């Protein structure tokens, strides 16, 4: 973006306001200094040296924020084998075989498989994976990222006797399906073997993909078992075309003294697992799983989680936790309430703590979350993928529980802050797809389009404490996306094309002539 520019469009949407849209905004450096209904109203004719950027019939919105992403994994997945939509273990193996034949890399990575409904009743074994990609190291991450499949040689290299989450067959032999702790061990082993240039390319690819979708900011959810500290620090220290904010999922450093991690640019918690996932049967649920897999697991005791939220509140830092099942949600809320009892409700509310996913809350949970001022960091695509009366939720918890899962309208009705994300690679980077899913919640608990758009643009800014970024108003940082149609009027949002993405006044995506024609 030029030093000073007057941007003119068909409409400039401030998603907090009414339907009337201004058509011009003046940008100086990285700031919006004026917004108005017509270019002629710009102060001083936009000033000497200002350039006019006429976007014609395009529409401008705040840039999207994806409030929950695993960005390096997203970039790696783009170059790996896509197993999403596989309808059988045989199809999964066939895709792996074809990918291995076409790609000579020693390490084959794949993501997105989901064995729910597969006729074989189970994913492929380690031996089958080795046969499909002979001589290769193979890691195939389940869609929820809480379990994975590995080849036979990798399975032999893991100290399985010391790991929890190893799936075994009737004779007690490991199958190659690893959950939670065992999955994290496999990820760490293979992550250490990846060439650094491959990882660097993945980070760049994730940024480019996000920018092409109108996403100006990613909330990177760093995790010791999923990505490692080195990856989190690389994101925090790097220079990227879009903004990357990094959370780090460890308790101890933030309870003891968070100053060192704060200096590194890391925020507390984020994807700190209080429980696991529904697909891997490790989300902590009071009703239990219908297939007899138990009640899931809480990974920390109540006192430890309370100490975490209390320490972060005392330091004035917003902390985050991953909580999917109702037992984990209860643990997170109780911990925040204990922090409020010790330090005051206002201190907790001003910290802007967050709970990721919140898939199976009660209505009382939602009320309590709103009272605490905690952000519900949600993924609307989860409902589209697994909700309704015939999906994974219904299969495991029954129809009524499924229809009330991911209850978006409950959060809005109770006044809870909302921030939308993808949890990529669990579901893809697809902000308009998330808005569509929010509008069309399969249980009828959806949101109107403007509310959904606000959650996916301004909600992530609120969660991150970025009070000077988001709305397209005077004084705000110039972060916006340009579209080839009106998002509030378009029937098929998925057909909208992002023409440009601008972050802090600089173009991150698009080939528009943003320097424009000199005005006067």
């Amino acid at each position: 973006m030029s030093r000073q520019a007057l941007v003119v469009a068909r409409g400039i949407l401030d998603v907090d306001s009414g339907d009337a849209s201004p058509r011009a905004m003046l940008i100086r450096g990285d700031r919006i200094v004026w917004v108005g209904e017509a270019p002629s109203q710009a102060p001083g004719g936009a000033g000497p040296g200002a350039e006019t950027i006429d976007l014609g019939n395009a529409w401008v919105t705040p840039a999207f924020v994806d409030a929950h992403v695993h960005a390096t994994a997203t970039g790696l997945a783009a170059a790996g084998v896509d197993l999403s939509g596989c309808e059988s273990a045989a199809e999964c193996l066939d895709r792996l075989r074809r990918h291995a034949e076409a790609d000579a890399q020693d390490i084959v990575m794949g993501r997105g498989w989901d064995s729910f409904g597969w006729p074989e009743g189970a994913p492929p074994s380690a031996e089958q994976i080795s046969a499909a990609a002979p001589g290769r190291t193979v890691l195939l991450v389940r869609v929820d990222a809480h379990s994975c499949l590995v080849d036979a040689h990798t399975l032999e290299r893991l100290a399985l006797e010391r790991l929890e989450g190893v799936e075994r067959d009737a004779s007690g032999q490991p199958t190659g399906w690893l959950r939670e702790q065992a999955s994290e061990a496999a990820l760490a082993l293979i992550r250490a073997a990846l060439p650094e240039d491959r990882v660097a390319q993945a980070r760049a690819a994730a940024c480019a993909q996000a920018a092409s979708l109108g996403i100006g900011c990613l909330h990177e959810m760093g995790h010791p078992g999923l990505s490692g500290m080195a990856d989190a620090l690389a994101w925090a220290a790097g220079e990227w075309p879009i903004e990357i904010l990094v959370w780090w999922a460890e308790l101890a450093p933030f309870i003891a003294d968070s100053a060192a991690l704060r200096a590194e640019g890391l925020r507390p918690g984020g994807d700190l697992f209080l429980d696991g996932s529904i697909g891997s049967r490790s989300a902590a649920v009071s009703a239990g799983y219908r297939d007899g897999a138990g009640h899931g697991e809480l990974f920390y005791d109540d006192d430890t989680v309370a100490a975490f939220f209390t320490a972060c509140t005392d330091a004035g830092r917003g902390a985050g936790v991953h909580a999917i099942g109702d037992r984990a949600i209860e643990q997170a809320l109780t911990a925040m309430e204990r922090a409020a009892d010790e330090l005051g409700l206002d201190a907790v509310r001003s910290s802007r703590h967050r709970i990721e996913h919140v898939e199976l809350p009660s209505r009382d949970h939602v009320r309590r979350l709103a009272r605490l001022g905690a952000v519900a960091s949600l993924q609307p695509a989860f409902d589209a993928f697994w909700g309704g009366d015939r999906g994974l939720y219904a299969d495991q918890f029954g129809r009524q529980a499924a229809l009330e899962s991911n209850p978006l309208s409950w959060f809005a009705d109770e006044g809870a802050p909302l921030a939308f994300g993808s949890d990529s690679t669990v579901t893809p980077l697809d902000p308009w797809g998330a808005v569509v899913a929010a509008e069309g919640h399969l249980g009828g608990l959806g949101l109107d389009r403007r509310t959904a758009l606000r959650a996916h643009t301004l909600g992530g800014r609120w969660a991150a404490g970025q009070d000077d970024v988001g709305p397209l108003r005077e004084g705000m940082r110039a972060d916006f996306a340009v579209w080839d149609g009106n998002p509030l009027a378009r029937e098929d949002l998925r057909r909208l094309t992002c023409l440009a993405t601008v972050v802090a006044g600089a173009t991150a995506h698009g080939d528009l002539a943003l320097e424009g024609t000199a005005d006067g």
Side-chain angles (χ1 to χ4, degrees):
M1 179 66 69
S2 55
R3 183 174 178 272
Q4 180 163 289
L6 182 65
V7 175
V8 183
R10 178 67 180 85
I12 297 173
L13 296 178
D14 181 348
V15 297
D16 270 342
S17 66
D19 291 334
S21 298
R23 295 190 58 245
M25 62 181 174
L26 182 62
I27 297 171
R28 185 172 298 132
D30 68 349
R31 294 283 146 180
I32 299 170
V33 297
W34 172 85
V35 178
E37 294 182 4
S40 60
Q41 298 174 345
E51 298 169 334
T52 296
I53 301 168
D54 191 343
L55 300 176
N57 287 323
W59 286 72
V60 178
T61 68
F64 281 110
V65 177
D66 193 311
H68 190 116
V69 173
H70 302 283
T72 303
T74 298
L76 288 169
V81 52
D82 181 7
L83 302 174
S84 60
C86 284
E87 296 182 356
S88 65
E91 183 180 355
C92 181
L93 288 168
D94 183 60
R95 290 195 195 181
L96 172 61
R97 183 179 300 106
R98 286 187 281 115
H99 180 89
E101 290 171 352
D103 191 318
Q105 295 191 91
D106 292 337
I107 299 175
V108 177
M109 304 189 75
R111 289 183 176 267
W113 64 271
D114 184 355
S115 56
F116 175 68
W118 282 4
E120 297 91 345
S125 69
E127 289 74 19
Q128 290 174 315
I129 289 170
S130 289
R136 309 292 183 86
T137 295
V138 180
L139 176 76
L140 307 178
V141 179
R142 192 185 183 280
V143 65
D144 59 5
H146 284 255
S147 62
C148 69
L149 305 172
V150 296
D151 63 280
H153 178 62
T154 298
L155 194 63
E156 292 173 356
R157 296 169 61 198
L158 293 166
L160 298 178
E161 68 279 358
R162 297 199 298 268
L163 297 173
E164 296 182 3
V166 179
E167 180 79 8
R168 297 180 183 274
D169 62 21
S171 64
Q173 295 302 307
T175 65
W177 186 2
L178 308 174
R179 295 184 175 92
E180 301 298 348
Q181 184 191 47
S183 178
E184 291 180 6
L187 285 167
L189 181 70
I190 292 175
R191 183 174 64 235
L194 284 172
E196 181 52 39
D197 63 340
R198 184 172 172 182
V199 178
Q201 290 168 9
R203 294 189 188 110
C207 289
Q209 181 186 0
S212 73
L213 298 170
I215 299 171
C217 178
L218 298 177
H219 290 192
E220 164 63 16
M221 295 290 143
H223 190 286
L226 300 181
S227 53
M229 175 65 84
D231 187 60
L233 294 178
W235 279 115
E239 295 184 4
W240 313 104
I242 63 174
E243 185 172 33
I244 310 293
L245 304 177
V246 184
W247 275 256
W248 180 247
E250 278 192 294
L251 282 170
F254 291 104
I255 292 176
D257 179 8
S258 66
L261 292 181
R262 182 167 63 246
E264 298 284 1
L266 305 185
R267 296 161 180 254
D271 212 12
L272 178 72
F273 296 162
L274 298 191
D275 67 347
S277 74
I278 295 169
S280 292
R281 309 298 191 269
S282 50
V285 294
S286 57
Y289 291 90
R290 283 188 162 188
D291 63 4
H295 293 261
E297 182 181 359
L298 290 173
F299 298 146
Y300 299 98
D301 63 73
D302 294 348
D303 289 343
T304 299
V305 180
F308 172 64
F309 276 112
T310 299
C312 292
T313 301
D314 193 40
R317 305 199 69 197
V321 293
H322 157 127
I324 286 177
D326 61 317
R327 291 169 55 213
I329 296 166
E330 175 65 30
Q331 185 181 60
L333 293 171
T334 299
M336 283 188 246
E337 288 165 347
R338 288 175 61 179
D341 289 342
E342 182 172 336
L343 300 171
L345 179 60
D346 288 346
V348 169
R349 290 181 62 86
S350 64
S351 295
R352 304 185 195 181
H353 298 312
R354 52 193 290 172
I355 304 181
E356 309 301 313
H357 313 312
V358 209
E359 291 179 53
L360 299 171
S362 67
R363 188 66 186 250
D364 182 61
H365 284 150
V366 175
R367 294 189 187 99
R368 289 161 62 196
L369 184 144
R371 175 179 176 272
L372 291 161
V375 177
S377 177
L378 309 175
Q379 294 73 45
F382 285 7
D383 178 70
F385 274 58
W386 301 295
D389 56 9
R390 297 180 182 176
L392 176 65
Y393 300 126
D395 180 72
Q396 287 301 323
F397 309 119
R399 181 179 184 276
Q400 190 58 37
L403 295 179
E404 293 182 353
S405 64
N406 301 288
L408 305 179
S409 64
W410 289 4
F411 293 102
D413 291 346
E414 298 295 342
L418 294 174
F420 283 175
S422 64
D423 198 10
S424 179
T425 61
V426 175
T427 64
L429 297 178
D430 182 11
W432 287 122
V435 173
V436 170
E439 285 187 289
H441 186 278
L442 297 176
L445 300 177
L447 303 173
D448 65 85
R449 184 171 298 183
R450 188 181 289 274
T451 301
L453 180 57
R454 186 189 191 287
H456 219 336
T457 54
L458 310 189
R461 303 299 187 183
W462 171 262
Q466 294 183 296
D467 294 337
D468 66 339
V469 192
L472 300 181
R473 301 176 189 164
E474 180 180 336
M476 296 289 119
R477 201 175 74 188
D479 286 47
F480 58 89
V482 181
W483 307 95
D484 65 348
N486 181 356
L488 296 183
R490 180 70 66 91
E491 289 187 12
D492 186 357
L493 286 174
R494 295 178 187 272
R495 293 179 66 86
L496 280 171
T497 298
C498 180
L499 303 176
T501 302
V502 174
V503 178
T507 303
H509 164 75
D511 57 2
L512 294 177
L514 290 178
E515 286 73 27
T517 301
D519 183 45

